[in-house]
C-alpha cells in the first residue's frame, strides 16, 4: 500500500478546483466546506441544490451521443425482414410489375417510418430507465437525510458513505470511522486505501495518495464517512479517465496465438470466420437481445425458409412459367409467411413493459428479467422493510437487574417526548404469564433514572453504540437520520435525555470515539470504543449490541440483582436469558442484546486498532431490547396473491426465529393453524440458518419441504437456498440489500435489490430494483412480467395464425386454373401485401399494450423452457389459420361456382375484362373476408380462452361489458377500425380497384362476407368454449387427485397448506 509520503504521478487531465481556491486535498476540511458554502449539519437547501445543478450540470459521465436516430434508421433498413421486402421490390421492378413494385416500396417506407419512430421512442424510454437504475447517493439536504440519484449531486452536497456504497462523486471527507475505499479502478492499487479526513496534502499529490478524499466510482469496503462533494461528472478524476477511453470495443474475434506470439494461417482464418459469423448473427438478430428476442429471430429465419419453399411451390404449380404475374404471386406468397413486424412489435412491447413497471415502483436493469418474471415459482424475501414497514419502535426493554420497561402507544414514532414509559420489576416471561399485569405508567423518565446505574449503563449502549441522529430542527420538528433500527433505539435513549449528541458534541464532549467495529451480516454485532473525559481521568468503554445469541456467546457475566455485584453467566442463566428473548420474540418483536465492558487503552493510543475478537470478548450482558416493526398493510394480500398464482414465499431474515415466525404467520407465509401441521413438516418449515447450513445437500433434498422461514440468516444461507430450489427445478427470485447478498442475487434467476436500503453493490448484481423496498412491488413486477408474456403470446399467435391462413389460402388456391392451365389467384399480390400491412403491425402493437387478464395471478407460473410456443398456442395457431383459410376459399368458391357460372376467364391475373368480372368479384370477396377475419381475430386474442363477449364474467353488465373492453385498449380499437374502413376505398375507387388490387367492387357478395364473418367469430368462440371445458375438467381432475379445493380467495390457505397438515386421527 502507498504511504502519504509517496509521490504518485498526478492525473494528466486535471479536474479543476471549481469553487475552491486550491485542490480539495490541499485544503483543511473546514476550509473546503466554508469555500463550498455549505452547512455540514443541514446540507444544501433544495433551492440551492437546484441552482448549482443548473450551474454545474448533471453528475454524469459523457457517454457519447446517447440515442442516435441515424443508427436506429439504419437498423430499420438493414435487417433481414426489410431486406426480404427490398428483394421482392427489386424482383417486381425487374419483371416490370411497376404497380406491385411500387406497393412493396410503399410497404417498405411505411414499415421503416413506423418502425423508426416507434423504436426511437422505445430507445428514449429505455435510456431514461437506465438513468433511473443508476446508483443512488445518501445526502443531507434541508436538514433531512434522503436518497437521490447520483446524477442530481452537485458540488457542496453533504454525502454519507457506508460499507457497500459506490462513491457517487469526488468528495472531500469531513468525518471517517474505519473508512477504507477500494480505488483500484482509479489507482491500480489492489488494497483498499484507509482514509483520514484530518490530513492535508500538497497540490500536486497524486490521486492514490489523497487519503482525505473519496473518488467517484470507487467502492467503500469498510467503515463509514461523511464528506462534501467538490467535483461532479466529467470534472471528477474518473471523468478525466473516461475522456481518454472513448475507443469503441472491437467486435473482432482475437487470433489464438502461441506463447511466442506467432499464429498459423488456420488461426487467422478461424478468427475471421467467427467474426463474420458473429456479424451475420447480429444482423439476423439470433445472437443479440434477450432469449425471447433471439428465439423469435430464429423463428423468423425458419419462416423465411418456409417462404422460399412456398414460392417454389407456386412456381412449380404453374410449371415454372416466366409469366410476370406468376412470379410476383410467388414472391407475394413467400411474403405472406414472413411476420415483418414481429421483432419491432416485441421490442416496443418490452419497452412499454419496462415503463409500466417504473409506475409500479420497479426498475428493470436487465431485459432478460422481463421474461423471467413470468416463470417465477418461489420468492425468497427479506423481512425488515420489505414485508414489514421498516419503521421500528422500541416496545420493551428488559434489564435483568431491574425489570421490564415498556413504551406506550404513540402516533409520532420519532418524537421521544410523546408516549409514556411503563415499568414492572418482572421479566418478560413473568409478565406474559400474568398477561401483562404489573406494568405501570411512570410519572416521568427522570424518576426511572434516579439512582438507577443499571438503566444508565443500558442507555450508554443505546446511545453510543448507535450511528443514528435524532434531533429537533429550527421549527421544533423532530428529524432523524440513519438506519430504522438504530433510530428507534436512539429515540428510546432520547426519552431519558440520553441522546448521542448530548455526549459527543461541543468543544469538550464528555465522550469521544476511539474505534468502531461496524455491523457485519456474518458476525451480527457492532461495537464501539469510547473514552470518557472526567476530572478523575475518565474511563474507556466497549459498547456492543447485536443478535442475542451472538452477544450472549461473547458475555461472561451479568448483574441479576441490583443490590449485588456481577454474576457469572452460567448455562442455566443463559437458558433464562433465551427464555426471555423467546417471550419477547413471540410478541413479534425483533430482539437485540446490549453488553459492555471497561477497556484499557494500549495500542489505540499509538494509532493501532485493536483486534475485534479481543474487543468483543469477556463482555457483561446489560439486557435485551425488543423492537416492533409492523407488517406492511399490503403484505398479507400480496402473499395471498402469490399463493393463488402458484408461487411459494420464503422469508429469509436475520431476526430471531420467534420474531420471524410471528411475522410470517401474520402475513400468511406460514399457516395460521400451525398446530395442525405434522411435526416433521413444522420442523422443516421454520429453521435457523445454523440448522439449515449444517445439513448436506442430500439431507436438504430429502426434506419434505424447503423452509418457508429461515431465521438468523447469513449470506451463504441464501446461496444454499437458491441452489436447493434449483435442484427441485424451481425458478427463484431473491431479494437482497447488503454487499454480501450479491452472490445470492447473481445466483438467483431474478435478483431483486432494494432501491432505498440497498447497497450499490447489491444493485449492480441485481436484475430489477424496487424503488419502494416493498414486497407488494415484487408481486406487481411478476404480474407485469406475466402480462407482457401473455401479450407476446397473443400477438405471436395472431401473426402466425394469420400467416397460416394466408399461406393455405394462396397455396390451395393454386388449384383454381383457367383454360391456359395457369392458376387463377384467389388473392392478388397487392391484396396480399395490403393484408400484411393493415392487419399485423398496428393491431399487434395494440395487443402488446393490452391490460392484464383478470385471472393472470390465479394461474400457475409460465414454463420458461417452452416459452411462448406452448402446445395450446401451436394448436390454436393451426385451428384459427385453417378455419380462416377454409372460409376464405369457401367465399371464392361460392362466388364463382355457387352463385356464378364457374368461369375463371382467361388471363384474369393480368387485368380486368368482362370475362374476368366474376373472378374479380370473387377475389374482392376473399380479400374482404381475409382482412376482416384477421382484424376480428385480433380482438378475439385479447383473451386466449375467455369469450370476447364475456371477458369479465363477474361484471354486472354482462350484455354490454364487451363494449367497454373494446374501448379500453384504444390503440387496438383504432387500429382495427382503420383496417375496416380503409377496405372500402380499395374496392370502389376506379383504377385502384381494377389496376392496382385486381378486384371489383362487390354488392350482394357482402352477404357472404357478413355470414362468413359471423361463422368465423362463431368458430373461434366455439373453439375457446371447447378449450374452457377441457381446461376446467382437467383442473377438476388435478384438484381431485391432489385433494386441494378449487381456488377462491378464502380457500387459498387450504389450497397451499393442506398438504402440510397432519392427517385427522
Amino acid at each position: 500500500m502507498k504511504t502519504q509520503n509517496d509521490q504518485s504521478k498526478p492525473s494528466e487531465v486535471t479536474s479543476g478546483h471549481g469553487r475552491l481556491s486550491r485542490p480539495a486535498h490541499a485544503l483543511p476540511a473546514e476550509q473546503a466546506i466554508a469555500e463550498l458554502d455549505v452547512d455540514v449539519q443541514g446540507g444544501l437547501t433544495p433551492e440551492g441544490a437546484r441552482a448549482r445543478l443548473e450551474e454545474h450540470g448533471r453528475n454524469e459521465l459523457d457517454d457519447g451521443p446517447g440515442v442516435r436516430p441515424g443508427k436506429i434508421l439504419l437498423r430499420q433498413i438493414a435487417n433481414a425482414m426489410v431486406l426480404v421486402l427490398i428483394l421482392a421490390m427489386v424482383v417486381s421492378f425487374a419483371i416490370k410489375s411497376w404497380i406491385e413494385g411500387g406497393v412493396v416500396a410503399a410497404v417498405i417506407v411505411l414499415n421503416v417510418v413506423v418502425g423508426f419512430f416507434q423504436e426511437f421512442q422505445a430507445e428514449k424510454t429505455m435510456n431514461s430507465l437506465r438513468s433511473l437504475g443508476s446508483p443512488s447517493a445518501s445526502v443531507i439536504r434541508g436538514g433531512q437525510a434522503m436518497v437521490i440519484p447520483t446524477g442530481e449531486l452537485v458540488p457542496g452536497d453533504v454525502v454519507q458513505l457506508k460499507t457497500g456504497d459506490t462513491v457517487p462523486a469526488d468528495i472531500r471527507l469531513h468525518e471517517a470511522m474505519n473508512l477504507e475505499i477500494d480505488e483500484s479502478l482509479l489507482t491500480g492499487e489492489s488494497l483498499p486505501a484507509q482514509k483520514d479526513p484530518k490530513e492535508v496534502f500538497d497540490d500536486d499529490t497524486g490521486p492514490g495518495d489523497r487519503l482525505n478524499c473519496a473518488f467517484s466510482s470507487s467502492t467503500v469496503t469498510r467503515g463509514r464517512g461523511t464528506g462534501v462533494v467538490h467535483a461532479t461528472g466529467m470534472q471528477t478524476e474518473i471523468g478525466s479517465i473516461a475522456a481518454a477511453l472513448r475507443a469503441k470495443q472491437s467486435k473482432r474475434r482475437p487470433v489464438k496465438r502461441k506463447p511466442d506470439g506467432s499464429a498459423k494461417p488456420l488461426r487467422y482464418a478461424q478468427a475471421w470466420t467467427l467474426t463474420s459469423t458473429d456479424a451475420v448473427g447480429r444482423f439476423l438478430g439470433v445472437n443479440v437481445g434477450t432469449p425471447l428476442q433471439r428465439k423469435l429471430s430464429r423463428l423468423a429465419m425458419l419462416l423465411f425458409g418456409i417462404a422460399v419453399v412456398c414460392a417454389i411451390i407456386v412456381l412449380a404449380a404453374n410449371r415454372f412459367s416466366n409469366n410476370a404475374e406468376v412470379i410476383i404471386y410467388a414472391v407475394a406468397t413467400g411474403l405472406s409467411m414472413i411476420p415483418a413486424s414481429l421483432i419491432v412489435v416485441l421490442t416496443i412491447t418490452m419497452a412499454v413493459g419496462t415503463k409500466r413497471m417504473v409506475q409500479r415502483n420497479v426498475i428493470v436493469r436487465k431485459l432478460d428479467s422481463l421474461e423471467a418474471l413470468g416463470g417465477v415459482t418461489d420468492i425468497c424475501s427479506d423481512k425488515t422493510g420489505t414485508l414489514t414497514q421498516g419503521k421500528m419502535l422500541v416496545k420493551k426493554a428488559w434489564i435483568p437487574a431491574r425489570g421490564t420497561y415498556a413504551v406506550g402507544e404513540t402516533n409520532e414514532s420519532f418524537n421521544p417526548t410523546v408516549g409514556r414509559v411503563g415499568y414492572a420489576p418482572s421479566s418478560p416471561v413473568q409478565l406474559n404469564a400474568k398477561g401483562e399485569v404489573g406494568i405501570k405508567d411512570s410519572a416521568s423518565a427522570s424518576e426511572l433514572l434516579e439512582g438507577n446505574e443499571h438503566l444508565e449503563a443500558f442507555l450508554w449502549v443505546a446511545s453510543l453504540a448507535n450511528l443514528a441522529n435524532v434531533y429537533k430542527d429550527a421549527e421544533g420538528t423532530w428529524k432523524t437520520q440513519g438506519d430504522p433500527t438504530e433510530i428507534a433505539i436512539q429515540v428510546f435513549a432520547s426519552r431519558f435525555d440520553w441522546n448521542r449528541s448530548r455526549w459527543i458534541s461541543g468543544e469538550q464532549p464528555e465522550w469521544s470515539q476511539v474505534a468502531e467495529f461496524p455491523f457485519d451480516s456474518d458476525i451480527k454485532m457492532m461495537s464501539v470504543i469510547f473514552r470518557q473525559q472526567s476530572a478523575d481521568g475518565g474511563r474507556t468503554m466497549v459498547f456492543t449490541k447485536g443478535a442475542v445469541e451472538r452477544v450472549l456467546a461473547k458475555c461472561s457475566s451479568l448483574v441479576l440483582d441490583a443490590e449485588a455485584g456481577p454474576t457469572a453467566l452460567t448455562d442455566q442463566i443463559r437458558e433464562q436469558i433465551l427464555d426471555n428473548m423467546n417471550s419477547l420474540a413471540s410478541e413479534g418483536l425483533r430482539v437485540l442484546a446490549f453488553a459492555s465492558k471497561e477497556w484499557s487503552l494500549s495500542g489505540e493510543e499509538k494509532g493501532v486498532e485493536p483486534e475485534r475478537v479481543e474487543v468483543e470478548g469477556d463482555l457483561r450482558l446489560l439486557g435485551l431490547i425488543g423492537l416492533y416493526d409492523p407488517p406492511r398493510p399490503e403484505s398479507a394480500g400480496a402473499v395471498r396473491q402469490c399463493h393463488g398464482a402458484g408461487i411459494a414465499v420464503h422469508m429469509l431474515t436475520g431476526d430471531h426465529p420467534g420474531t420471524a415466525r410471528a411475522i410470517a404467520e401474520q402475513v400468511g407465509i406460514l399457516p395460521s393453524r400451525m398446530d395442525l401441521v405434522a411435526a416433521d413438516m413444522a420442523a422443516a418449515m421454520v429453521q435457523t440458518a445454523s440448522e439449515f447450513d449444517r445439513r448436506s445437500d442430500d439431507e436438504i433434498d430429502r426434506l419434505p419441504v424447503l423452509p418457508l422461514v429461515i431465521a438468523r440468516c447469513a449470506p451463504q444461507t441464501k446461496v444454499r437456498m437458491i441452489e436447493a430450489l434449483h435442484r427441485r427445478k424451481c425458478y427463484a427470485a431473491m431479494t437482497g440489500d447488503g454487499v454480501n447478498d450479491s452472490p445470492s442475487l447473481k445466483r438467483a434467476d431474478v435478483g431483486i435489490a432494494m432501491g432505498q436500503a440497498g447497497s450499490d453493490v447489491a444493485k449492480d448484481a441485481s436484475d430489477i430494483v424496487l424503488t419502494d423496498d416493498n414486497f407488494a412491488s415484487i408481486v406487481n413486477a411478476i404480474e407485469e412480467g406475466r402480462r407482457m408474456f401473455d401479450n407476446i403470446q397473443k400477438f405471436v399467435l395472431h401473426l402466425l395464425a394469420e400467416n397460416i391462413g394466408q399461406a393455405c389460402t394462396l397455396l390451395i388456391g393454386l388449384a383454381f386454373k383457367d383454360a391456359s392451365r395457369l392458376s387463377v389467384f384467389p388473392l392478388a399480390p397487392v391484396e396480399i401485401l395490403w393484408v400484411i400491412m393493415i392487419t399485423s403491425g398496428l393491431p399487434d402493437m395494440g395487443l402488446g399494450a393490452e391490460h392484464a387478464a383478470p385471472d393472470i395471478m390465479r394461474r400457475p407460473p409460465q414454463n420458461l423452457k417452452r416459452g411462448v410456443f406452448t402446445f395450446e398456442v401451436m394448436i390454436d395457431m393451426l385451428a384459427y389459420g385453417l378455419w380462416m383459410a377454409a372460409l376464405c376459399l369457401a367465399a371464392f368458391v361460392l362466388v364463382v361456382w355457387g352463385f356464378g357460372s364457374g368461369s375463371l376467364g382467361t388471363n384474369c391475373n393480368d387485368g380486368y375484362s368482362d370475362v374476368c368480372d366474376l373472378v374479380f368479384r370473387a377475389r374482392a370477396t376473399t380479400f374482404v373476408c381475409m382482412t376482416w377475419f384477421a382484424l376480428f381475430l385480433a380482438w378475439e386474442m385479447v383473451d386466449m380462452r375467455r369469450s370476447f363477449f364475456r371477458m369479465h364474467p363477474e361484471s354486472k353488465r354482462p350484455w354490454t361489458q364487451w363494449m367497454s373492453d373494446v374501448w379500453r385498449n384504444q390503440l387496438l380499437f383504432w387500429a382495427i377500425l382503420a383496417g375496416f374502413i380503409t377496405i372500402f376505398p380499395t374496392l370502389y375507387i376506379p383504377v385502384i380497384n381494377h389496376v392496382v388490387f385486381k378486384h371489383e367492387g362487390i354488392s350482394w357478395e357482402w352477404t357472404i362476407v357478413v355470414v362468413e364473418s359471423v361463422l368465423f367469430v362463431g368458430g373461434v368462440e366455439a373453439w375457446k368454449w371447447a378449450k374452457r371445458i377441457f381446461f376446467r375438467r382437467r383442473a377438476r381432475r388435478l384438484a381431485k387427485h391432489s385433494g386441494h379445493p378449487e381456488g377462491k380467495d378464502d380457500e387459498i390457505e387450504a389450497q397451499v397448506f393442506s398438504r402440510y397438515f397432519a392427517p385427522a386421527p
Side-chain angles (χ1 to χ4, degrees), residues 460-482:
W460 284 128
V461 179
S463 177
L464 299 180
N466 193 323
L467 307 181
N469 188 12
V470 177
Y471 65 99
K472 188 185 291 187
D473 65 10
E475 298 175 359
T477 304
W478 284 94
K479 300 291 181 66
T480 62
Q481 297 169 3

Side-chain angles (χ1 to χ4, degrees), residues 513-682:
Q513 189 165 349
V514 176
E516 177 182 316
F517 300 90
F519 177 85
D520 183 277
S521 54
D522 289 320
I523 299 173
K524 298 191 183 300
M525 290 191 300
M526 73 92 67
S527 297
V528 291
I529 301 176
F530 270 84
R531 180 186 301 160
Q532 186 180 31
Q533 310 295 337
S534 63
D536 60 358
R539 56 179 178 157
T540 302
M541 296 291 296
V542 173
F543 299 124
T544 300
K545 75 171 188 290
V548 178
E549 299 94 328
R550 299 298 181 89
V551 174
L552 203 57
K554 301 290 185 179
C555 291
S556 60
S557 64
L558 83 165
V559 177
L560 286 174
D561 186 347
E563 305 301 326
T567 302
L569 196 58
T570 63
D571 290 341
Q572 183 180 359
I573 294 175
R574 288 178 193 275
E575 288 300 319
Q576 292 174 9
I577 301 295
L578 293 174
D579 287 343
N580 281 285
M581 175 192 68
N582 291 330
S583 178
L584 292 172
S586 66
E587 300 175 40
L589 303 183
R590 182 184 183 189
V591 188
L592 301 177
F594 288 178
S596 69
K597 73 175 180 181
E598 277 206 54
W599 179 258
S600 58
L601 286 172
S602 53
E604 298 93 300
E605 295 174 330
K606 303 173 185 176
V608 180
E609 186 175 297
E611 291 293 328
R612 181 165 191 164
V613 175
E614 185 182 355
V615 170
E616 293 177 336
D618 197 26
L619 296 169
R620 176 174 299 167
L621 182 70
L622 300 177
L624 308 180
I625 192 165
L627 303 98
Y628 184 58
D629 183 14
R632 291 179 183 265
E634 60 272 25
S635 290
V639 171
R640 193 180 307 112
Q641 260 192 299
C642 287
H643 288 159
I647 301 170
V649 182
H650 308 260
M651 179 198 290
L652 279 64
T653 177
D655 279 345
H656 178 268
T659 308
R661 178 169 173 163
I663 297 295
E665 288 180 1
Q666 289 179 42
V667 299
I669 292 176
L670 291 174
S672 57
R673 295 292 307 276
M674 281 293 286
D675 55 310
L676 299 178
V677 177
D680 60 331
M681 282 286 187

